[in-house]
Amino acid sequence: MQAAGQEKPSPGIIFDTGMNKACDALALALLSGLNAKDARLVAVSVSGSNLRAAAFCEVVGEFYAGAVSGAFGGAPRTLPVGLSMDGKLAADAPLFTAPLARRNAEGKPVYRQTIQKLNDTADPVAVIRNAMTSQEDHNAIVIESGPATTLAHLLALPEAHETIVSKTKLLIMAVGIYPEGEELYVQADPAAARKVFAEWPTPIVVCGSEVGDALLFPATSIEKDFAWTQAHPVVDAYRAYRAMPYDAPTQAMAAALYAARPK
């Protein structure tokens, strides 16, 4: 409980991602580099079943904590990464395999990888629930940029409704196309999406792909604004996702920005 006269902490953001689009990597970078006065990234989970996607999320977290560049002055990030185990492991994608495969002149990985096997990840439902319960009342914000599978499982837990209502003030869904259309993450698990939209007990803000398509992240930023370091996992991911130069839609990134700075 908050002590009398103590300022309420900034919102704690829970990011559940499919990590299948360039904008997912950009959103994770934005959330990892937030000013703590705006918001804090308190949990990351991968809603697809891919071990290397989880490993990439860990690498980005450690990078922004200063484990590679030393630029951010922090200790390596230790938040566990949740990984969905629904069905078989999903196929790898260059978005996250390229940064993980990068080697230095000595042939060693450029980015330290602590996630090597399934036991190095955590149950995503537990990761999200525990992150919620550790926040001040009505101070957690959940961002869903992936299949809604994990959130649907969360809703099925006993007393989940009470936990969500007491701890969470907002769910931001970076899924779908509006007013209509087929979108990757909704189509991956339509039943879960229907359950979350029908049963989630707090306000929901939806950021459809039409928003991301209208707000493109410029390739020139990748080439110029990140030139301060020769090794950046999100830059490596962006370049591997599609032949450069290209301007990436920002659906997940727009949702992350809204979570941190809604005005």
Side-chain angles (χ1 to χ4, degrees):
M1 181 175 291
Q2 191 173 319
Q6 182 179 347
E7 185 178 350
K8 188 174 182 178
S10 59
I13 296 181
I14 297 165
F15 186 47
D16 187 48
T17 174
M19 197 48 68
N20 220 355
K21 306 174 182 177
C23 68
D24 293 327
L26 291 169
L28 182 58
L30 189 158
L31 293 169
S32 298
L34 282 174
N35 186 320
K37 293 181 180 179
D38 292 326
R40 300 160 294 116
L41 181 63
V42 297
V44 176
S45 61
V46 179
S47 53
S49 301
N50 191 292
L51 185 64
R52 289 185 176 87
F56 172 73
C57 290
E58 178 77 356
V59 162
V60 173
E62 289 208 346
F63 178 87
Y64 275 89
V68 174
S69 66
F72 298 92
R77 178 176 173 272
T78 57
L79 286 176
V81 176
L83 178 64
S84 172
M85 288 308 300
D86 284 7
K88 65 180 181 179
L89 291 178
D92 290 335
L95 176 71
F96 45 82
T97 59
L100 299 179
R102 186 173 174 185
R103 297 292 186 268
N104 60 21
E106 290 76 36
K108 297 180 180 179
V110 170
Y111 309 112
R112 187 172 77 98
Q113 302 170 38
T114 60
I115 293 178
Q116 302 287 344
K117 55 187 183 299
L118 294 178
N119 284 346
D120 297 330
T121 65
D123 175 8
V125 177
V127 165
I128 293 175
R129 179 195 60 205
N130 293 344
M132 278 184 183
T133 57
S134 68
Q135 302 308 303
E136 296 278 353
D137 287 352
H138 310 297
N139 208 43
I141 297 176
V142 179
I143 301 174
E144 179 59 71
S145 178
T149 309
T150 299
L151 295 188
H153 289 331
L154 174 68
L155 286 169
L157 290 179
E159 301 181 0
H161 184 278
E162 291 78 5
T163 299
I164 295 169
V165 168
S166 65
K167 294 296 183 179
T168 307
K169 69 175 183 179
L170 186 66
L171 168 63
I172 305 174
M173 297 286 284
V175 302
I177 304 174
Y178 305 91
E180 60 184 1
E182 294 186 358
E183 187 267 339
L184 173 68
Y185 288 148
V186 171
Q187 294 302 310
D189 194 342
R194 285 193 293 268
K195 181 178 180 65
V196 170
F197 278 117
E199 299 181 18
W200 190 267
T202 75
I204 299 174
V205 171
V206 178
C207 181
S209 62
E210 76 283 353
V211 175
D213 291 343
L215 301 169
L216 300 179
F217 189 88
T220 54
S221 178
I222 291 293
E223 301 296 353
K224 296 179 180 179
D225 296 337
F226 296 87
W228 57 270
T229 178
Q230 295 299 309
H232 196 303
V234 175
V235 170
D236 292 342
Y238 192 101
R239 288 174 172 159
Y241 182 71
R242 189 177 298 168
M244 290 286 284
Y246 72 96
D247 296 343
T250 61
Q251 182 180 13
M253 198 178 194
L257 182 60
Y258 181 77
R261 298 177 180 175
K263 295 183 181 180

